[in-house]
Amino acid sequence: GWTVGYSWPGSQTISQIWDASDSQSGSAVTIGNLGYDGALPAGGSTTFGLLGAGTAPSSLPSLTCTAS
C-alpha cells in the first residue's frame, strides 16, 4: 500500500475525495490507497483527487509519499 501525508497551512479540511481514503487530525492529513490501487511497482504512480473546504491557502503543502 501507499500513503501520502501533508499538513494544511490553515484550518482547511477535505470535503470530498476520490480514488483514495483520507483521515485528518488538526492540520495533519493522511491519504491512503483503496483496495484496488494499493500495489504499485517501484517508480510507479497513481492519482487521486480531493476537494478542500475553508479559506484557500496562500501556498500548497509539500507532499510525502511512503509505502505502507
Side-chain angles (χ1 to χ4, degrees), residues 1-4 17-23 30-40 46-49 68:
W2 53 266
T3 58
V4 172
I17 190 165
W18 53 96
D19 295 330
S21 63
D22 70 299
S23 66
T30 302
I31 309 293
N33 65 279
L34 297 174
Y36 63 85
D37 65 352
L40 295 176
T46 190
T47 59
F48 61 88
S68 60

Side-chain angles (χ1 to χ4, degrees), residues 8-33:
W8 291 114
S11 60
Q12 298 83 8
T13 60
I14 293 175
S15 61
Q16 185 179 8
I17 190 165
W18 53 96
D19 295 330
S21 63
D22 70 299
S23 66
Q24 183 169 348
S25 178
S27 64
V29 177
T30 302
I31 309 293
N33 65 279

